[in-house]
Amino acid sequence: MRKFHFKLQKLLELKEYREREWEIKLGEITGRMEEIRQKIDACRSQRQKGFTLRAEAGNDLSQCAAAENYIRRMEQLDSTYTRDLQVLTAEREEIQAGYLEASKERKVFDKLREKRQLEFYKEQKKADIAMLDELNSGAAARNVEFAAEVAGSAAGRVR
């Protein structure tokens, strides 16, 4: 039996490659988003510490002012990181749409390959059965001819 060869294999490989590229981009941006989320959590945690420092400062105005400045700085960082996260979220949606499109294109070629492969092996099976039938019918014909020759030569000896 011959091996199946998909004529569009190179195109399928190209579609798989493009899908992997989109998947890598999606992974990278998701990693960046997670990093920013961690920074936001750290800013919020540091801001809480600033409130604690301000409360501990009591009547010391310089420490109270420093704690207040620290709290404002953490709030600024928090808002900056939140805006960055929103921008990355929009980018991620675009990248995810590209990934889904590339995945859909690859799946179309996968389905086509599977369909053609099934057709190929079905045809191969039919061809193999036809070849075996031909061999068997040829062997049966040779057996009939051989039996006729044996019968003919046996009849010639009896005379």
Side-chain angles (χ1 to χ4, degrees), residues 22-84:
W22 281 107
E23 190 174 10
I24 289 168
K25 287 178 187 178
L26 191 59
E28 287 174 353
I29 200 159
T30 302
R32 288 176 32 208
M33 287 174 66
E34 187 57 34
E35 182 181 335
I36 289 177
R37 282 188 191 108
Q38 289 174 358
K39 287 179 180 180
I40 290 172
D41 290 342
C43 281
R44 290 178 181 167
S45 166
Q46 293 295 321
R47 186 171 153 242
Q48 290 298 323
K49 287 180 185 178
F51 284 122
T52 305
L53 289 174
R54 187 174 65 185
E56 290 174 356
N59 292 335
D60 188 0
L61 291 178
S62 65
Q63 282 186 347
C64 215
E68 191 64 37
N69 288 337
Y70 186 73
I71 291 169
R72 281 195 205 116
R73 177 68 181 140
M74 290 301 112
E75 287 173 350
Q76 282 180 334
L77 282 175
D78 187 343
S79 67
T80 301
Y81 289 144
T82 302
R83 280 193 303 271
D84 291 347

Side-chain angles (χ1 to χ4, degrees), residues 6-21:
F6 186 50
K7 292 180 182 179
L8 301 173
Q9 184 65 33
K10 291 291 183 186
L11 193 54
L12 175 61
E13 289 171 3
L14 179 65
K15 298 294 182 185
E16 289 170 344
Y17 179 78
R18 285 189 179 152
E19 182 184 21
R20 279 191 305 271
E21 282 182 330

